[in-house]
Amino acid sequence: MLTAVVERKTFAKFVASLSDGTLTFQMQRLSEVPAAAVVVEGRYSDLFKLKHVPAAFIADELARLQVRYPEVQVDFADARRFAEEWTYRFLAAALSDTKGGDPVAETR
């Protein structure tokens, strides 16, 4: 049984998937997993600096998806390194909750 899933996206891929609607389908599928998240390698504030897409459109689409799928977290991690770290901790916590124990502490 699948316990947790993280969909990592670069900022550009995140914006593209919001614009073309593919993120909607991904969020729907992610909502079927007990613990799911989308982590973006970028900053939320950069949504308002886009040149080819109206900033309000992208921010509104993200808000709609977060309301529609509240069980799927969307996290902005500034950079790839932080997205990797966040993903590791999220999946470790999900594993810990299902199996008991603390795998993060056990790896130290």
Side-chain angles (χ1 to χ4, degrees):
M1 181 169 116
L2 198 56
T3 302
V5 176
V6 174
E7 174 75 22
R8 279 187 32 214
K9 292 191 174 294
T10 64
F11 185 79
K13 292 281 185 183
F14 179 73
V15 170
S17 66
L18 267 171
S19 297
D20 67 15
T22 58
L23 189 59
T24 302
F25 296 109
Q26 290 173 323
M27 294 279 283
Q28 180 182 7
R29 295 300 307 264
L30 289 170
S31 71
E32 299 168 3
V33 178
V38 175
V39 63
V40 182
E41 298 170 1
R43 296 175 185 221
Y44 177 77
S45 61
D46 289 344
L47 290 176
F48 298 93
K49 298 174 186 173
L50 297 170
K51 294 181 182 177
H52 302 295
V53 180
F57 171 76
I58 296 297
D60 287 347
E61 287 302 306
L62 175 57
R64 281 187 190 96
L65 287 178
Q66 289 181 297
V67 168
R68 187 177 295 161
Y69 303 105
E71 60 278 0
V72 180
Q73 297 182 64
V74 177
D75 187 70
F76 288 82
D78 291 338
R80 180 183 181 115
R81 183 179 103 204
F82 298 121
E84 289 171 351
E85 187 68 29
W86 189 94
T87 299
Y88 167 75
R89 294 184 185 285
F90 181 86
L91 294 174
L95 179 63
S96 175
D97 279 359
T98 55
K99 300 220 178 199
D102 186 357
V104 175
E106 292 170 11
T107 61
R108 292 183 187 151

